[in-house]
Amino acid sequence: MSSVDEVSVEAARLGASEPKGVWTGERYLESLMDGRRVWHEGERVSVVRDPQFVGPARYLASLQDRQSQPPLRDSVTDASESGMRTSLSYLLPHTREDLDRKALASHAWMETTFGLMPRLPDFMSNVVVGLWDFRSRLAKVDRRFAENVEWFYEHARGNDLVLTHAIGDPQMDRSVSVKDNPDMALRVVDRSSDGMVVRGAKQLATLAPYSHELLVYLSPTYARRDLPEHVCWFSVPTNAEGLNLLCRPSMAGRHPVIGDLADRFDEQDAMVFFDDVFIPSHRVFLLDDAEAALEGYWHLNKWALYVGQIRFHHRLRTTLAVARLAARAIGVDSFREIRSEIGEIAQYVEISRMCLDSMLRDASPTDYGLWAPGPTLAMDTFAAQVSGRLTEILIKISGSGAVMQASASDLEAPLLRDLVARYMSGCSVDAEGKAAVFRLVRGLVGTEFGARQHIYELWNRGDPVRNRMSLADAIEGIGDVERAVLDELADTSTLSDV
C-alpha cells in the first residue's frame, strides 16, 4: 500500500472462517458472547445477560429467526450460488430490478420494526454496498485498498455480519484542531508490513454493543484533516484487543411489569475507545487521502440514506396509527381541529411515500457501475424538520393521557381495579385498552426513548443546517429560472448588478 507495506489478501481470506449465511436467533446470541468489552454505568456488562441489554439483544435475535423462516425469509433473503441464504441487504444492485428488490426488502424490515429501530442491520449492510461500489476510486489511491474492500464485502455478506459505523470525532473542544490536540480524533500511531495501530476515540456508534464489527470512516465534517495520519478507513471486530465500548445509560429493562418500547428497540449508542488497537493490513480501506475520504462518504451512503428514508416513512405510518388510536380512545377523532392534526401526519406519510417512489424512478448507474437511488438530500432535511412536529401533534391529541394512565399492576390490584375501570375507561374501550394505547403515546413522546428518537432524526443524516445549505444550490435548472425571471418578469431597467 502507499502507506502500509505489502500484505497477502489471499492469505487473510484463507484464514477467515467459512461463510455461514443468515443467522438464527440462537447462533446470533452466541456470537455476542465473544469477550467484547462493553461498559455501562461504570461496569463491564454482558449484552446477552445484563437486564438492561438483554431485551434488545433477544429482539434482534427474534428478527434473525424471522428472516430464516417464511414469510419474511423470501422478502429479505436470497439463495446464493451455493444454495446458502444471504441477505438482500448485501445485494449489489447491478440492475434497476436489483435495486427494486433491495427497496422491497428494506420496506419489509422497516414495516416489521415499525420504523422504530433506525440502525437495523439493513442500514449498514447498504453502506458496505456503497464501499464495494467505491472500490475502483480507492484503487487509484492504492490497488490493495480495493482488494481489501472486495474481501470485506464477501466476508460481511457471507457471514451476514451485523455492523455499526463510527465516523464522528469525540465531542471535546471544537474550537481547536487536531494539530493542537491529536487526541481529538482517531489517528494511526504505527505502521508495519502486517498492519497499523490506531489510537483515539470515535462517536457515536449506534448498535455497537450488538454488532460483530465496526466500519470506521469519516463524516464530511471531519474528512478534510490537517494531518494525514487522522485519515483512515478500516474494519475491526467488536471484540478486538484494546477496543472498549462505553454505552450511554440504557433505556431498556426499566419496567419489567408493563414493558416498554425501549425493551425491544433501544439499539444503544456508544463511544468507542481505541487503546492502541492493531488493524491487520487486509482490513484497511483508505489511508492519508482526505479528498478521497470526503468524496467517499457521500458515495458509501447513497443506498443507506435511502434505507433511512424508508425507515422514516414507516415511523410516520406508526405515528399516524397511534394518533388515530389515541383520538378514538377518548372520543375526539371527529373533532375538526384533531382531524386536521391527524391529517397533517397523513400528509407527511404521503409526501414521504411519493418521494421514495420518485427517488427510485430517478435511479441511475453510478460512475462505478451499481444502480443507486436518486438523491435523498431534500427528504433528509424534511425528516429533521418535521420530527419534532410529530411529537407536538401526539401531545396535543393525547393531553394528560400521555402522562397519566393505569399500569398493569393497577389494573390487577383488588382495591383499585373497580375504580380504574369506572373512572379511567375511554370511548368504547375499557381502561385496560385505553391504557395500552396511551402507553404507546407516552413511549413515543414522554420517555427518554422518544426523546432519543427525535435527536436521532435531527442529526443522523448530518448537520441539518449544512444539508439545507447544500440543498439551496442543488436544485436542477434553478439558474435558468433566475435568468427567465429577470428577462420576463422583472423590470430590469431598475436593476443595477443583480
Side-chain angles (χ1 to χ4, degrees):
M1 300 179 185
S2 57
S3 304
V4 177
D5 292 338
E6 185 77 45
V7 65
S8 171
V9 175
E10 185 60 29
R13 288 176 175 161
L14 292 174
S17 59
E18 285 295 316
K20 297 181 177 64
V22 297
W23 299 94
T24 62
E26 180 180 7
R27 194 163 63 85
Y28 170 70
L29 290 175
E30 288 175 353
S31 73
L32 301 180
M33 296 185 286
D34 58 1
R36 60 189 58 204
R37 284 163 293 281
V38 179
W39 298 88
H40 180 251
E41 302 281 8
E43 296 183 355
R44 187 173 173 181
V45 298
S46 164
V47 298
V48 298
R49 295 192 181 94
D50 188 279
Q52 290 192 287
F53 286 80
V54 69
R58 289 176 178 169
Y59 182 68
L60 284 164
S62 75
L63 295 178
Q64 305 293 359
D65 277 332
R66 291 175 72 173
Q67 79 165 344
S68 302
Q69 302 164 3
L72 192 60
R73 181 188 66 188
D74 295 331
S75 299
V76 300
T77 71
D78 197 9
S80 66
E81 299 81 2
S82 64
M84 179 178 67
R85 303 296 299 191
T86 58
S87 172
L88 286 175
S89 301
Y90 281 110
L91 177 67
L92 299 175
H94 292 288
T95 65
R96 182 183 288 274
E97 290 71 26
D98 288 340
L99 186 63
D100 290 343
R101 289 185 72 199
K102 287 178 68 64
L104 289 173
S106 294
H107 273 289
W109 277 123
M110 302 312 168
E111 182 178 17
T112 298
T113 53
F114 300 93
L116 296 178
M117 202 169 200
R119 201 49 60 82
L120 274 174
D122 185 47
F123 180 91
M124 279 304 302
S125 301
N126 276 282
V127 173
V128 176
V129 169
L131 180 64
W132 187 93
D133 195 46
F134 196 62
R135 72 198 190 288
S136 60
R137 172 66 175 88
L138 297 174
K140 293 179 180 179
V141 181
D142 191 300
R143 63 173 177 79
R144 283 160 290 185
F145 292 150
E147 294 171 356
N148 294 349
V149 166
E150 291 175 357
W151 168 81
F152 180 68
Y153 170 78
E154 294 297 338
H155 168 60
R157 173 177 173 264
N159 292 288
D160 195 26
L161 293 186
V162 175
L163 301 172
T164 184
H165 65 181
I167 62 176
D169 291 348
Q171 193 179 50
M172 296 171 65
D173 183 354
R174 299 293 201 213
S175 67
V176 300
S177 75
V178 293
K179 285 183 177 179
D180 303 305
N181 180 5
D183 285 339
M184 290 186 60
L186 184 73
R187 66 191 187 278
V188 179
V189 296
D190 190 31
R191 310 185 191 206
S192 70
S193 59
D194 296 326
M196 64 184 187
V197 176
V198 295
R199 180 185 302 161
K202 279 286 189 180
Q203 69 172 37
L204 192 59
T206 301
L207 200 71
Y210 305 110
S211 69
H212 299 114
E213 298 196 12
L214 289 79
L215 180 61
V216 176
Y217 55 108
L218 298 168
S219 80
T221 303
Y222 310 112
R224 294 186 187 275
R225 292 300 194 192
D226 295 324
L227 300 173
E229 59 264 32
H230 290 276
V231 178
C232 50
W233 289 9
F234 58 89
S235 68
V236 60
T238 307
N239 68 341
E241 185 67 31
L243 193 149
N244 289 270
L245 303 178
L246 175 60
C247 296
R248 58 158 169 77
S250 175
M251 304 166 195
R254 297 183 179 181
H255 305 290
V257 177
I258 65 171
D260 195 84
L261 292 175
D263 289 346
R264 280 178 285 174
F265 302 120
D266 184 12
E267 56 202 354
Q268 262 294 342
D269 306 288
M271 285 288 297
V272 187
F273 299 122
F274 296 83
D275 187 15
D276 287 3
V277 176
F278 177 71
I279 309 298
S281 292
H282 68 277
R283 287 182 170 275
V284 180
F285 310 131
L286 180 65
L287 287 173
D288 302 335
D289 193 321
E291 290 301 319
L294 180 62
E295 180 186 342
Y297 171 84
W298 298 110
H299 199 87
L300 265 62
N301 284 276
K302 282 179 179 290
W303 295 266
L305 286 171
Y306 185 74
V307 168
Q309 287 302 333
I310 292 175
R311 194 271 315 159
F312 184 64
H313 174 71
H314 287 278
R315 182 193 166 201
L316 288 170
R317 289 174 63 88
T318 297
T319 305
L320 176 60
V322 172
R324 288 165 55 91
L325 288 168
R328 206 155 53 238
I330 54 176
V332 299
D333 52 313
S334 63
F335 289 16
R336 177 183 175 87
E337 186 174 354
I338 297 300
R339 288 187 64 80
S340 174
E341 300 285 347
I342 294 173
E344 184 178 336
I345 303 177
Q347 167 190 325
Y348 298 150
V349 171
E350 278 298 279
I351 289 172
S352 173
R353 180 190 63 80
M354 290 186 288
C355 287
L356 287 172
D357 289 347
S358 176
M359 284 184 274
L360 273 189
R361 284 197 301 272
D362 289 347
S364 62
T366 71
D367 292 340
Y368 309 112
L370 294 185
W371 277 75
T376 64
L377 187 58
M379 282 303 293
D380 293 340
T381 60
F382 174 78
Q385 178 178 319
V386 305
S387 176
R389 181 64 182 140
L390 302 178
T391 297
E392 291 176 10
I393 293 174
L394 281 178
I395 291 173
K396 185 171 184 178
I397 291 171
S398 303
S400 62
V403 177
M404 181 65 223
Q405 290 299 326
S407 70
S409 298
D410 296 330
L411 292 162
E412 294 173 0
L415 298 179
L416 279 177
R417 59 189 176 200
D418 289 343
L419 294 171
V420 170
R422 183 173 182 179
Y423 296 112
M424 299 188 75
S425 62
C427 177
S428 301
V429 62
D430 62 18
E432 184 175 4
K434 180 185 168 208
V437 169
F438 281 93
R439 278 200 296 272
L440 286 175
V441 173
R442 182 175 178 274
L444 292 175
V445 305
T447 63
E448 289 180 72
F449 173 80
R452 186 265 181 190
Q453 290 271 314
H454 177 50
I455 292 171
Y456 182 94
E457 223 65 80
L458 282 176
W459 291 103
N460 88 93
R461 302 167 187 88
D463 181 352
V465 172
R466 183 194 66 216
N467 288 343
R468 283 195 293 270
M469 290 172 62
S470 299
L471 188 62
D473 294 322
I475 304 303
E476 184 178 354
I478 194 63
D480 295 335
V481 178
E482 289 176 359
R483 286 186 288 274
V485 166
L486 286 175
D487 291 343
E488 300 183 32
L489 297 182
D491 181 1
T492 56
S493 63
T494 65
L495 296 175
S496 53
D497 186 20
V498 178

